[in-house]
C-alpha cells in the first residue's frame, strides 16, 4: 500500500491503544464493539508489521543493488554475502508477517460478517474497510 495508508494504520493503532473505545462507533453496526475491539487491534498490529517488513525488504534490496553495482566480477565479497543473507531473512520475515496479516484479516472479516465476493480476498476486504472507515 501507500505511505499514506501506513500512516493511517499507525495513527489508528496509536489511537486505539490510547483510547480503547475510539472506534466503537465504527464497530457498533457490526455487533458488540467491545468484543470486536481485539480483532481490530490484531488487524492493525499485523498490518503495521507487514508494512514494516515490506519496507525492510525494500531497504535491504536497495543496499544490495547499490553495492553489487560496483563489485568486481568473480567471487562475491563477504559484505555482499552478508547482505544476501540479510535479504533472505527480511524476505522470510515479510512472508511470515503477510501470513499473520492474512489470518488477522480473515478473523476480522468473519467477526464483522463482511461480505466477500468471489473475486476479493479477506485481505482486500479488510484493507478496503480500513481505508473507508479509519481514514
Amino acid at each position: 500500500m501507500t505511505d499514506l495508508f501506513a500512516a493511517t494504520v499507525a495513527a489508528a493503532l496509536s489511537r486505539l491503544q490510547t483510547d480503547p473505545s475510539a472506534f466503537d462507533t465504527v464497530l457498533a453496526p457490526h455487533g458488540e464493539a467491545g468484543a470486536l475491539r481485539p480483532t481490530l487491534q490484531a488487524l492493525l498490529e499485523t498490518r503495521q508489521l507487514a508494512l514494516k517488513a515490506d519496507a525492510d525488504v525494500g531497504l535491504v534490496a536497495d543496499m544490495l543493488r547499490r553495492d553489487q553495482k560496483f563489485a568486481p566480477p568473480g567471487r562475491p565479497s563477504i559484505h555482499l554475502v552478508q547482505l544476501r543473507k540479510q535479504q533472505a531473512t527480511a524476505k522470510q520475515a515479510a512472508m511470515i508477517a503477510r501470513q499473520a496479516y492474512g489470518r488477522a484479516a480473515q478473523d476480522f472479516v468473519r467477526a464483522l460478517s463482511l461480505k466477500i465476493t468471489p473475486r476479493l480476498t479477506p485481505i482486500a476486504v479488510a484493507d478496503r474497510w480500513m481505508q473507508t472507515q479509519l481514514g
Side-chain angles (χ1 to χ4, degrees), residues 6-110:
T8 303
V9 169
L13 183 59
S14 173
R15 187 172 161 203
L16 184 63
Q17 289 172 340
T18 304
D19 180 19
S21 63
F23 297 107
D24 284 358
T25 57
V26 175
L27 295 173
H30 301 285
E32 185 185 344
L36 297 174
R37 256 185 247 138
T39 57
L40 177 61
Q41 184 168 0
L43 181 73
L44 291 171
E45 287 173 351
T46 55
R47 183 62 179 153
Q48 189 174 30
L49 289 174
L51 289 169
K52 183 187 177 310
D54 286 340
D56 290 346
V57 168
L59 287 174
V60 173
D62 289 343
M63 289 182 350
L64 187 59
R65 270 192 297 275
R66 181 194 67 209
D67 292 351
Q68 277 183 334
K69 186 186 298 183
F70 301 109
R75 189 171 178 203
S77 68
I78 293 174
H79 176 68
L80 288 178
V81 172
Q82 289 173 343
L83 281 176
R84 287 181 185 151
K85 285 181 183 178
Q86 188 178 0
Q87 184 182 31
T89 303
K91 282 184 178 182
Q92 185 176 14
M95 288 295 290
I96 291 169
R98 279 191 223 118
Q99 288 173 350
Y101 177 59
R103 284 191 297 273
Q106 190 171 18
D107 293 342
F108 182 76
V109 167
R110 282 185 185 155

